[in-house]
Amino acid sequence: MQNTRTLVHVIESMPTSDGAGVKLRRSLGSQRGLHVDPFLMLDEFYSDDPDDYIAGFPAHPHRGFETVTYMLDGHMRHEDHLGNRGDLGPGDVQWMTAAHGIIHSEMPQQSQGRMRGFQLWLNLPSKEKMKPAAYRDIPARDIPTLTLPHGGEVKVIAGSIAQGGALARGPVNGDGAMSTDPLYLDVRLPAGASFDAPVPAGRNAFLYVYEGSARIGAAGEAKPLPHRAAGVLSDGDGVRVLADAGGVRFLLLAARPLREPVVQYGPFVMNTREEIEQALADYRDGRLAAATAPSAVHG
Ligand code: FE2
């Protein structure tokens, strides 16, 4: 790497709740106006107490972006108005493109035990915000795992990564076809191990540490990224992560920025206030979902 990215901003995750009272920790999206374009929000849910998750996320709408759910532990069921139904278990991913509109529920399928995972919100460009909704279930077996030479492993959910002569391509891989061309890695490093990931210049990138802690950046200028915090990276052509004594597990996310205005109102993310008002009216009048029904004609 010629130009290693540096850690420019640390966003500590904040305890919050969403849905019908699911307890979670929000890093990205917890500070109003602070996004890593095109990423809007990252929530981590992690509890052994069913009271924290049992109420789930009953039917609710989305418009204008994508929601990506990645389960580490537990069992959740997704159902939406298009008739899609998906069971998410450990290691599974659901990539849901709300676009014009989706009404879905995300409900726990367990009454005890651990529920753990992430939900990421990824924005869509204005020209794609009103395209038909799409839905994709990605089982854990379709997510390649790369073993690192000095120990540790990388799961490639989206994008691709080259390590030691091997190239791993994730199941979501736009090859430039997706406007944001996202990279989504789940990385585990043992104590003291380091990991160098190329992240093309011009992409916005951040990390989220969900176990242990790490130092981010080139030797001599590395900065600490604590447990359960998001670290926003400067531009550059790659990132270097050095695991602390307890080892580290983290997500690495990068994507092409959209550089468009973001107007968010709850589960709707558009470019203007007028478009938000339209989304609210469409939801109220039953048009949010209706226009994307299979029989609908898309103009
Ligand atoms: Fe949702």
Side-chain angles (χ1 to χ4, degrees), residues 70-74 88-93 138-141 143 155 157:
Y70 174 34
M71 293 294 286
L72 292 179
D73 296 293
L88 271 87
D92 294 341
V93 169
I138 302 164
R141 64 177 178 275
I143 298 171
K155 290 185 177 168
I157 296 165

Side-chain angles (χ1 to χ4, degrees), residues 33-236:
L34 179 60
H35 304 130
V36 180
D37 179 19
F39 300 106
L40 299 162
M41 191 188 86
L42 179 68
D43 285 345
E44 177 189 9
F45 46 94
Y46 181 14
S47 180
D48 296 315
D49 179 357
D51 287 346
D52 288 346
Y53 59 73
I54 203 74
F57 302 87
H60 60 278
H62 293 288
R63 173 179 278 181
F65 61 104
E66 302 185 274
T67 69
V68 183
T69 306
Y70 174 34
M71 293 294 286
L72 292 179
D73 296 293
H75 184 191
M76 191 93 90
R77 176 172 294 160
H78 160 106
E79 288 180 294
D80 67 34
H81 78 279
L82 296 174
N84 296 307
R85 181 181 232 212
D87 276 315
L88 271 87
D92 294 341
V93 169
Q94 176 204 89
W95 200 287
M96 209 271 301
T97 305
H100 179 282
I102 196 99
I103 296 171
H104 72 166
S105 62
E106 299 148 300
M107 298 302 288
Q109 301 298 304
Q110 63 191 46
S111 54
Q112 56 183 2
R114 179 168 294 179
M115 179 71 79
R116 185 186 198 193
F118 305 95
Q119 189 170 91
L120 176 76
W121 286 14
L122 175 60
N123 207 358
L124 286 168
S126 60
K127 65 179 190 302
E128 294 180 32
K129 282 184 180 294
M130 296 296 265
K131 70 182 182 182
Y135 172 86
R136 190 169 167 195
D137 264 328
I138 302 164
R141 64 177 178 275
D142 289 352
I143 298 171
T145 301
L146 207 61
T147 303
L148 298 172
H150 307 297
E153 61 179 31
V154 183
K155 290 185 177 168
V156 187
I157 296 165
S160 61
I161 183 161
Q163 287 284 303
L167 178 74
R169 287 165 53 87
V172 176
N173 199 308
D175 282 330
M178 278 175 85
S179 300
T180 52
D181 205 12
L183 175 71
Y184 190 159
L185 306 180
D186 176 16
V187 184
R188 181 179 60 76
L189 297 179
S194 65
F195 172 61
D196 289 289
V199 180
R203 306 296 168 95
N204 284 345
F206 75 102
L207 307 149
Y208 181 75
V209 169
Y210 66 92
E211 276 184 24
S213 58
R215 298 180 70 79
I216 313 300
E221 57 184 37
K223 293 182 192 159
L225 181 57
H227 183 219
R228 295 190 130 171
V232 183
L233 302 174
S234 69
D235 201 5

